[in-house]
Every structure is written in structure tokens, then in C-alpha cells.
Amino acid sequence: MPPSIPPTLGELSWRVARHCDAGSCVRVATRGDMVVIGDTKNPDGPILAYDRGEWRTFVEGIRQGDFDDL
């Protein structure tokens, strides 16, 4: 299933990595049962949304090195 853009985001508590490089980072927040992702350089830009199962699968892939060649 492709990511979807929530119709209304409201106030989100964005998080970025502790080692964010001068604001050039991915930002992440939760809204209901969704995890939303945006770009700190473009706060008004597109936002992707994934359900928590999709997010867990992605994070597990990162931990296992599935994307190390990128």
C-alpha cells in the first residue's frame, strides 16, 4: 500500500535524530495510529504517513542492515 497524506495534521510533536546535521534531517511524529514523516528543510512540504506495522517493519529493516548499500 502506498503512503498516504493525512487530510489534517493539526499540531504534531516532531522528533529528529540527536545528531541532526544543521537541520537537514527527516522528522517523525505520530498521529493516532499513524507515523508521519517530513523533511526539516521543508516544513510545509509533503508528509508521508504509514501505519505502525509498516513503520516497525521499516525500522527493523534498518536495524538488520537491509538498506546499508544505499
Side-chain angles (χ1 to χ4, degrees):
M1 171 184 353
S4 61
I5 300 172
T8 45
L9 292 172
E11 287 294 317
L12 295 173
S13 295
W14 291 104
R15 295 171 58 181
V16 297
R18 282 174 267 206
H19 301 288
C20 182
D21 183 19
S24 298
C25 300
V26 172
R27 60 186 186 154
V28 179
T30 57
R31 182 170 188 272
D33 63 347
M34 304 297 287
V35 176
V36 293
I37 302 169
D39 183 346
T40 59
K41 293 184 311 288
N42 188 6
D44 296 322
I47 304 229
L48 303 176
Y50 299 91
D51 68 42
R52 290 181 186 264
E54 292 168 323
W55 178 253
R56 279 190 297 272
T57 300
F58 176 65
V59 170
E60 185 61 29
I62 292 170
R63 290 181 178 147
Q64 292 179 2
D66 291 349
F67 309 105
D68 287 354
D69 63 327
L70 301 176

